[in-house]
Amino acid sequence: MLCRNISFFRHIRCRSTFILTSSPLTPSSSASPLEHGGRLHAIAQQYNRPVADWLDVSTGIAPESYPLPDLPSSAWHRLPEVTPSFLKAASDYYGCDSLLPIAGSQSVIQHLPAIVSRAGRKPSRVWVPHPGYKEHEKAWTDAGIQVYRYRHLPHLTTLTSGDIVVVINPNNPTGKLEERATLATLQEQLHALNGLLLIDEAFMDCTPEHSMLQSLHGENLLVLRSAGKFFGLAGLRAGFLFASRQWRERCSAVLGPWQINGPALHVLESAFNDVSWQSAQRSQLNESALWLGNLLTTHFGVKCSGTPLFCTMPHPRAPDLFAAFCAEGVYPRLTDENDALRFGMVTVSQRPRLAQVVGRVSGVMERP
Ligand SMILES: Cc1ncc(COP(=O)(O)O)c(C=O)c1O
């Protein structure tokens, strides 16, 4: 079914290591801005329903945010300064101190070609997961670098000198989680080829045992983390790059000073130190994901995949389903491939409404 949807590929090898066009994606294929979830005002206008009446499940942001601490006026007044206590809190939370605070992982994703070129590298090819968060593909194609999409991690025999492999772990939207041992082997193989491994761990907070931060080493591994999703603080625009000192310096040089704002520094320091809130949040998200997965599978008869922050339901009539949900005031994310709906978690008090709408929408939709 997935192959059917990718009709523009001239050469496709489904279920094999990679999907390769006979020529790589061209820069023009990604010139326009991408659409993401979270466009609640636009959707509300399109379906003519007041913003306050919507249940927005179009993102993978936790529905319960970390409770905001009181902020000292200096957080607003002074230039933001990354303090030793902030660095300690962040290092303890992530289990790694080779970090650079950034204004959300997106800020690095879009500048990676410039950051890599500061290292004097001109990558020949970049491998990106498909499906996957499309901003990775866009950054490289916009920079004129050849991008190849893969469905399963590229095998050594398909890699060449200087290749960069991007892994979204766990993947958004599929939730596929790569083992650390597999990624360590890939890192070694890329090292031998003078290549780079970039791992986007935006949705890793509920499964830290799978994070590459536990064993970050070497000059050819960069790991991105987002603080917005697990802590429910996407509006803060905060995240981290983990890499060697040289890579962090190159990144700083490209992004410039004061990446992370003063209020974000204060709120995050408190969130990173609040281990009991983190553990309650993890349990709550795990429980919510179980509830949501069961609800969707029971009503639509399909197997869902995902993470504790989102649940993705493949469906041959995903665009029709999307419209049916929106007509009921529930806003999911239609995947870029139009072959699935992705749902973010809801709070316990929002469950009855979502369950009712799922029941109604599935009632008018045939099972696949
Ligand atoms: C896989 C992935 N990586 C990175 C990002 C960017 O997140 P942020 O810039 O909020 O850290 C997103 C946003 O949805 C994402 O899905």
Side-chain angles (χ1 to χ4, degrees), residues 171-192:
N171 181 280
N172 169 19
T174 67
K176 187 176 182 209
L177 196 55
E178 301 293 349
E179 293 296 330
R180 284 175 57 213
T182 310
L183 295 173
T185 304
L186 182 59
Q187 184 188 353
E188 267 173 42
Q189 293 168 342
L190 285 165
H191 175 68

Side-chain angles (χ1 to χ4, degrees), residues 2 137 169 192 235 293 360:
L2 284 161
E137 180 177 310
N169 203 34
R360 278 202 292 274

